[in-house]
Amino acid sequence: MGVKWVCVFLVAGLILSIADLGNCGRTSSYVRNDDLAHDMSLDSDVFRVPPGYNAPQQVHITQGDHEGRGVIVSWVTPDKPGSSTVLYWAENSSSKNIAEGIVLTYKYFNYTSGFIHHCTISDLEFDTKYYYEVGTGNTTRQFWFVTPPKVGPDVPYVFGLIAGDLGQTRDSNRTLTHYELNPTKGQTVLFVGDLSYADAYPFHDNRRWDTWGRFTERNAAYQPWIWTAGNHEIDFAPQIGEFRPFKPYTHRYHVPYRASGSTSPFWYSIKRASTYIIVMASYSAFGKYTPQYKWLEKELPRVNRTETPWLIVVVHCPLYNSYAHHYMEGETMRVIYEKWFVEFKVDVVFAGHVHAYERSERVSNIAYNVVNGLCTPISDQSAPVYITIGDGGNLEGLVTEYALFC
Ligand SMILES: [Fe+2]
């Protein structure tokens, strides 16, 4: 098939290169500091508000369709709604195009959000650099992105995996910088969930969602981040009258879930280059007959491996985890879905949540039926490799203790 892939592993970041062997990456020795870290202060320069009246901030992009010809551009204006228009043009084109978006706000306890804009740009050319501009009518800001090549089996592509659970400490900043400086340049980030850790603050201080958006803009405005919801996105706080789970996350981070027939932004799929990526939801119902279950039941047989030979699942809570922290939390999902991952030969399952790194061999544990005693994972070449990349630098620190096995 002429396609190879290589992973560059490190505790806090990883590059997955789906490319010819000649383009392979190198293993990095970077390991984050294992001290408990504090969040960067609100006046830190990485959180700087861009100058100018009503200047767009927290700009970020993600894939906007199933094939890679669409981009969702999101940003926040602080003073008034302003325009939800995105002006965009191909690098070598003299004609400019306009796409109209929407604007949202939300309240969370005593916090009122800025004006959150989402605009989907469609029908872009593959493998093309585009410039885009937001803030029409007031302070405008310009960014750029490169669309992926047309989907196909022999298309090289480099995914970046900044470890999940990123947060906003100095270690988080080092992780992002390390990713940016990696000589094997990632083209799209697969983000495994737990973004801002705003819920670590009294009343889930949503200003920390804003600082996180400004912190990550320097990368997320220029390459798509493929979002996965983690437990720190739930923001369920009935004690302060916040009963709607995922309220800040769903207002701020839009994903193209409808394009894959999903009915929820928490589970969806995209194709990108030679890869089919399925995002699953650890914190939405996933038992038999639930919407997520029924969607995945139809989704997996639909993956055409001659078109996209690489099949990757991204989910927040790992299905296999040897660390004491969060031990067995992914077991219910494993019991339900592992047999499908084996049947459909998923290549890799990436997860976060556990603040550590771990990579399995290809194993499965699907033969057990309560009475046959076959409850130990076995080597299985049809099974995925399970990779935990769960520490991007958040304030909770690294996990090093393994679970005790008897
Ligand atoms: Fe988590």
Side-chain angles (χ1 to χ4, degrees):
M1 187 170 299
V3 178
K4 302 288 181 188
W5 68 291
V6 166
C7 294
V8 178
F9 297 112
L10 55 159
V11 170
L14 178 152
I15 298 277
L16 170 65
S17 173
I18 293 170
D20 295 331
L21 271 175
N23 294 332
C24 292
R26 284 166 186 264
T27 301
S28 166
S29 59
Y30 176 67
V31 177
R32 71 157 285 201
N33 186 329
D34 67 354
D35 293 338
L36 271 182
H38 297 289
D39 279 354
M40 294 179 284
S41 62
L42 286 172
D43 61 357
S44 169
D45 61 348
V46 295
F47 299 148
R48 196 173 23 148
V49 174
Y53 177 67
N54 211 33
Q57 58 171 262
Q58 306 176 49
V59 181
H60 55 91
I61 62 171
T62 193
Q63 184 159 321
D65 66 355
H66 204 232
E67 304 277 336
R69 293 184 65 197
V71 171
I72 301 173
V73 181
S74 303
W75 69 99
V76 174
T77 46
D79 305 308
K80 64 175 186 177
S83 170
S84 296
T85 299
V86 174
L87 194 64
Y88 64 98
W89 60 97
E91 183 177 34
N92 298 318
S93 169
S94 56
S95 65
K96 296 191 173 180
N97 306 288
I98 286 175
E100 279 299 330
I102 58 168
V103 61
L104 311 167
T105 60
Y106 74 91
K107 290 182 186 297
Y108 192 97
F109 188 57
N110 59 359
Y111 168 92
T112 301
S113 74
F115 301 92
I116 304 167
H117 303 258
H118 301 284
C119 180
T120 302
I121 307 173
S122 306
D123 299 324
L124 299 166
E125 297 296 325
F126 286 112
D127 209 5
T128 301
K129 184 172 185 178
Y130 284 87
Y131 291 91
Y132 69 98
E133 188 176 287
V134 291
T136 305
N138 292 119
T139 305
T140 58
R141 296 181 67 206
Q142 197 180 107
F143 305 87
W144 55 263
F145 59 79
V146 179
T147 52
K150 189 176 189 320
V151 172
D154 295 314
V155 180
Y157 204 72
V158 181
F159 289 99
L161 287 112
I162 297 173
D165 309 64
L166 185 56
Q168 44 192 299
T169 71
R170 281 177 302 199
D171 283 321
S172 319
N173 194 26
R174 278 189 208 109
T175 296
L176 186 54
T177 302
H178 185 77
Y179 173 62
E180 291 166 323
L181 296 179
N182 193 309
T184 307
K185 293 296 178 195
Q187 295 166 286
T188 292
V189 169
L190 303 181
F191 191 81
V192 295
D194 281 357
L195 286 65
S196 73
Y197 283 73
D199 61 351
Y201 288 84
F203 315 121
H204 297 222
D205 186 350
N206 273 221
R207 291 178 302 167
R208 284 292 179 173
W209 274 104
D210 291 318
T211 52
W212 198 82
R214 294 199 291 271
F215 158 50
T216 50
E217 178 191 275
R218 71 182 198 235
N219 189 271
Y222 297 94
Q223 62 177 263
W225 286 35
I226 307 305
W227 300 110
T228 310
N231 53 302
H232 287 280
E233 279 67 74
I234 299 173
D235 282 314
F236 175 65
Q239 68 278 16
I240 55 172
E242 291 299 341
F243 299 97
R244 180 178 160 191
F246 301 104
K247 188 200 271 185
Y249 174 72
T250 52
H251 280 83
R252 292 167 182 274
Y253 293 92
H254 279 194
V255 298
Y257 65 95
R258 291 189 185 90
S260 55
S262 167
T263 52
S264 163
F266 305 118
W267 58 88
Y268 63 100
S269 69
I270 58 165
K271 294 189 239 181
R272 203 160 179 91
S274 46
T275 306
Y276 203 100
I277 296 159
I278 294 177
V279 174
M280 293 181 67
S282 300
Y283 306 103
S284 304
F286 55 76
K288 196 166 184 180
Y289 311 123
T290 60
Q292 182 171 194
Y293 180 97
K294 292 175 86 69
W295 175 78
L296 193 62
E297 187 177 35
K298 282 188 179 168
E299 175 72 2
L300 281 166
R302 224 166 42 183
V303 180
N304 177 358
R305 302 298 284 273
T306 60
E307 181 190 49
T308 50
W310 302 107
L311 177 55
I312 290 176
V313 169
V314 184
V315 64
H316 185 64
C317 184
L319 277 61
Y320 282 98
N321 167 33
S322 305
Y323 289 92
H325 200 53
H326 301 311
Y327 183 60
M328 297 284 272
E329 281 185 23
E331 187 66 2
T332 44
M333 184 171 260
R334 184 193 68 75
V335 167
I336 294 168
Y337 291 107
E338 185 183 21
K339 62 180 183 298
W340 288 354
F341 293 172
V342 174
E343 180 182 349
F344 292 97
K345 295 183 166 53
V346 171
D347 291 296
V348 190
V349 178
F350 287 110
H353 197 42
V354 178
H355 299 168
Y357 171 75
E358 183 171 20
R359 178 181 53 161
S360 76
E361 295 184 356
R362 294 193 184 278
V363 292
S364 71
N365 188 9
I366 54 177
Y368 186 47
N369 69 357
V370 180
V371 294
N372 63 9
L374 301 175
C375 56
T376 303
I378 58 166
S379 178
D380 185 342
Q381 288 309 301
S382 292
V385 171
Y386 295 88
I387 299 179
T388 301
I389 37 165
D391 199 284
N394 68 75
L395 74 181
E396 292 174 354
L398 277 179
V399 165
T400 54
E401 183 190 351
Y402 287 102
L404 293 175
F405 299 100
C406 41

PDB file of all heavy atoms in Angstrom, residues 266-278:
ATOM      1  N   PHE A 266     -20.697  15.293  20.783  1.00  0.00           N
ATOM      2  CA  PHE A 266     -19.737  14.552  21.614  1.00  0.00           C
ATOM      3  C   PHE A 266     -19.222  13.290  20.931  1.00  0.00           C
ATOM      4  O   PHE A 266     -18.252  12.699  21.377  1.00  0.00           O
ATOM      5  CB  PHE A 266     -20.369  14.216  22.972  1.00  0.00           C
ATOM      6  CG  PHE A 266     -20.891  15.438  23.663  1.00  0.00           C
ATOM      7  CD1 PHE A 266     -22.243  15.570  23.942  1.00  0.00           C
ATOM      8  CD2 PHE A 266     -20.043  16.482  23.994  1.00  0.00           C
ATOM      9  CE1 PHE A 266     -22.731  16.706  24.558  1.00  0.00           C
ATOM     10  CE2 PHE A 266     -20.517  17.625  24.611  1.00  0.00           C
ATOM     11  CZ  PHE A 266     -21.863  17.747  24.890  1.00  0.00           C
ATOM     12  N   TRP A 267     -19.890  12.826  19.896  1.00  0.00           N
ATOM     13  CA  TRP A 267     -19.359  11.696  19.122  1.00  0.00           C
ATOM     14  C   TRP A 267     -19.583  11.976  17.640  1.00  0.00           C
ATOM     15  O   TRP A 267     -20.653  12.418  17.223  1.00  0.00           O
ATOM     16  CB  TRP A 267     -19.974  10.360  19.551  1.00  0.00           C
ATOM     17  CG  TRP A 267     -21.466  10.278  19.444  1.00  0.00           C
ATOM     18  CD1 TRP A 267     -22.197   9.905  18.349  1.00  0.00           C
ATOM     19  CD2 TRP A 267     -22.431  10.575  20.465  1.00  0.00           C
ATOM     20  NE1 TRP A 267     -23.542   9.956  18.631  1.00  0.00           N
ATOM     21  CE2 TRP A 267     -23.720  10.367  19.927  1.00  0.00           C
ATOM     22  CE3 TRP A 267     -22.329  11.000  21.805  1.00  0.00           C
ATOM     23  CZ2 TRP A 267     -24.884  10.560  20.655  1.00  0.00           C
ATOM     24  CZ3 TRP A 267     -23.501  11.196  22.524  1.00  0.00           C
ATOM     25  CH2 TRP A 267     -24.747  10.975  21.954  1.00  0.00           C
ATOM     26  N   TYR A 268     -18.541  11.771  16.856  1.00  0.00           N
ATOM     27  CA  TYR A 268     -18.604  12.092  15.434  1.00  0.00           C
ATOM     28  C   TYR A 268     -17.370  11.529  14.750  1.00  0.00           C
ATOM     29  O   TYR A 268     -16.480  10.962  15.413  1.00  0.00           O
ATOM     30  CB  TYR A 268     -18.675  13.612  15.229  1.00  0.00           C
ATOM     31  CG  TYR A 268     -17.456  14.383  15.711  1.00  0.00           C
ATOM     32  CD1 TYR A 268     -16.469  14.817  14.816  1.00  0.00           C
ATOM     33  CD2 TYR A 268     -17.282  14.690  17.054  1.00  0.00           C
ATOM     34  CE1 TYR A 268     -15.361  15.535  15.251  1.00  0.00           C
ATOM     35  CE2 TYR A 268     -16.175  15.405  17.496  1.00  0.00           C
ATOM     36  CZ  TYR A 268     -15.220  15.824  16.600  1.00  0.00           C
ATOM     37  OH  TYR A 268     -14.126  16.518  17.031  1.00  0.00           O
ATOM     38  N   SER A 269     -17.305  11.667  13.444  1.00  0.00           N
ATOM     39  CA  SER A 269     -16.120  11.189  12.719  1.00  0.00           C
ATOM     40  C   SER A 269     -15.753  12.178  11.636  1.00  0.00           C
ATOM     41  O   SER A 269     -16.581  12.979  11.182  1.00  0.00           O
ATOM     42  CB  SER A 269     -16.386   9.814  12.089  1.00  0.00           C
ATOM     43  OG  SER A 269     -17.326   9.945  11.034  1.00  0.00           O
ATOM     44  N   ILE A 270     -14.488  12.110  11.240  1.00  0.00           N
ATOM     45  CA  ILE A 270     -14.007  12.862  10.079  1.00  0.00           C
ATOM     46  C   ILE A 270     -13.038  11.978   9.302  1.00  0.00           C
ATOM     47  O   ILE A 270     -12.455  11.053   9.858  1.00  0.00           O
ATOM     48  CB  ILE A 270     -13.280  14.172  10.470  1.00  0.00           C
ATOM     49  CG1 ILE A 270     -12.100  13.879  11.396  1.00  0.00           C
ATOM     50  CG2 ILE A 270     -14.232  15.178  11.084  1.00  0.00           C
ATOM     51  CD1 ILE A 270     -11.130  15.035  11.530  1.00  0.00           C
ATOM     52  N   LYS A 271     -12.895  12.317   8.024  1.00  0.00           N
ATOM     53  CA  LYS A 271     -11.800  11.748   7.233  1.00  0.00           C
ATOM     54  C   LYS A 271     -10.780  12.848   7.034  1.00  0.00           C
ATOM     55  O   LYS A 271     -11.150  14.020   6.848  1.00  0.00           O
ATOM     56  CB  LYS A 271     -12.308  11.293   5.864  1.00  0.00           C
ATOM     57  CG  LYS A 271     -13.277  10.151   5.898  1.00  0.00           C
ATOM     58  CD  LYS A 271     -13.508   9.664   4.473  1.00  0.00           C
ATOM     59  CE  LYS A 271     -14.964   9.756   4.106  1.00  0.00           C
ATOM     60  NZ  LYS A 271     -15.228   9.277   2.734  1.00  0.00           N
ATOM     61  N   ARG A 272      -9.538  12.486   7.065  1.00  0.00           N
ATOM     62  CA  ARG A 272      -8.499  13.480   6.803  1.00  0.00           C
ATOM     63  C   ARG A 272      -7.323  12.750   6.198  1.00  0.00           C
ATOM     64  O   ARG A 272      -6.763  11.844   6.823  1.00  0.00           O
ATOM     65  CB  ARG A 272      -8.107  14.197   8.092  1.00  0.00           C
ATOM     66  CG  ARG A 272      -7.490  15.557   7.845  1.00  0.00           C
ATOM     67  CD  ARG A 272      -7.562  16.444   9.076  1.00  0.00           C
ATOM     68  NE  ARG A 272      -6.944  17.737   8.815  1.00  0.00           N
ATOM     69  CZ  ARG A 272      -7.578  18.814   8.367  1.00  0.00           C
ATOM     70  NH1 ARG A 272      -8.865  18.784   8.123  1.00  0.00           N
ATOM     71  NH2 ARG A 272      -6.930  19.941   8.156  1.00  0.00           N
ATOM     72  N   ALA A 273      -6.983  13.084   4.953  1.00  0.00           N
ATOM     73  CA  ALA A 273      -5.883  12.429   4.232  1.00  0.00           C
ATOM     74  C   ALA A 273      -6.159  10.921   4.163  1.00  0.00           C
ATOM     75  O   ALA A 273      -7.190  10.513   3.631  1.00  0.00           O
ATOM     76  CB  ALA A 273      -4.554  12.765   4.878  1.00  0.00           C
ATOM     77  N   SER A 274      -5.295  10.083   4.729  1.00  0.00           N
ATOM     78  CA  SER A 274      -5.476   8.630   4.634  1.00  0.00           C
ATOM     79  C   SER A 274      -6.076   8.044   5.911  1.00  0.00           C
ATOM     80  O   SER A 274      -6.008   6.841   6.131  1.00  0.00           O
ATOM     81  CB  SER A 274      -4.125   7.970   4.344  1.00  0.00           C
ATOM     82  OG  SER A 274      -3.127   8.503   5.187  1.00  0.00           O
ATOM     83  N   THR A 275      -6.676   8.903   6.722  1.00  0.00           N
ATOM     84  CA  THR A 275      -7.096   8.481   8.052  1.00  0.00           C
ATOM     85  C   THR A 275      -8.583   8.732   8.282  1.00  0.00           C
ATOM     86  O   THR A 275      -9.114   9.772   7.895  1.00  0.00           O
ATOM     87  CB  THR A 275      -6.303   9.262   9.115  1.00  0.00           C
ATOM     88  OG1 THR A 275      -4.925   9.107   8.841  1.00  0.00           O
ATOM     89  CG2 THR A 275      -6.592   8.763  10.505  1.00  0.00           C
ATOM     90  N   TYR A 276      -9.211   7.771   8.937  1.00  0.00           N
ATOM     91  CA  TYR A 276     -10.593   7.915   9.400  1.00  0.00           C
ATOM     92  C   TYR A 276     -10.535   8.042  10.917  1.00  0.00           C
ATOM     93  O   TYR A 276     -10.006   7.167  11.606  1.00  0.00           O
ATOM     94  CB  TYR A 276     -11.408   6.684   8.998  1.00  0.00           C
ATOM     95  CG  TYR A 276     -12.890   6.930   8.918  1.00  0.00           C
ATOM     96  CD1 TYR A 276     -13.508   7.134   7.701  1.00  0.00           C
ATOM     97  CD2 TYR A 276     -13.668   6.959  10.072  1.00  0.00           C
ATOM     98  CE1 TYR A 276     -14.875   7.363   7.610  1.00  0.00           C
ATOM     99  CE2 TYR A 276     -15.038   7.187   9.997  1.00  0.00           C
ATOM    100  CZ  TYR A 276     -15.633   7.388   8.761  1.00  0.00           C
ATOM    101  OH  TYR A 276     -16.985   7.618   8.674  1.00  0.00           O
ATOM    102  N   ILE A 277     -11.050   9.128  11.425  1.00  0.00           N
ATOM    103  CA  ILE A 277     -10.944   9.417  12.855  1.00  0.00           C
ATOM    104  C   ILE A 277     -12.337   9.389  13.470  1.00  0.00           C
ATOM    105  O   ILE A 277     -13.247  10.092  13.011  1.00  0.00           O
ATOM    106  CB  ILE A 277     -10.290  10.793  13.090  1.00  0.00           C
ATOM    107  CG1 ILE A 277      -8.849  10.761  12.570  1.00  0.00           C
ATOM    108  CG2 ILE A 277     -10.328  11.168  14.573  1.00  0.00           C
ATOM    109  CD1 ILE A 277      -8.289  12.122  12.274  1.00  0.00           C
ATOM    110  N   ILE A 278     -12.501   8.570  14.483  1.00  0.00           N
ATOM    111  CA  ILE A 278     -13.769   8.494  15.211  1.00  0.00           C
ATOM    112  C   ILE A 278     -13.554   9.048  16.614  1.00  0.00           C
ATOM    113  O   ILE A 278     -12.684   8.576  17.349  1.00  0.00           O
ATOM    114  CB  ILE A 278     -14.282   7.045  15.277  1.00  0.00           C
ATOM    115  CG1 ILE A 278     -14.649   6.558  13.870  1.00  0.00           C
ATOM    116  CG2 ILE A 278     -15.479   6.932  16.220  1.00  0.00           C
ATOM    117  CD1 ILE A 278     -15.105   5.113  13.798  1.00  0.00           C
TER     118      ILE A 278
END
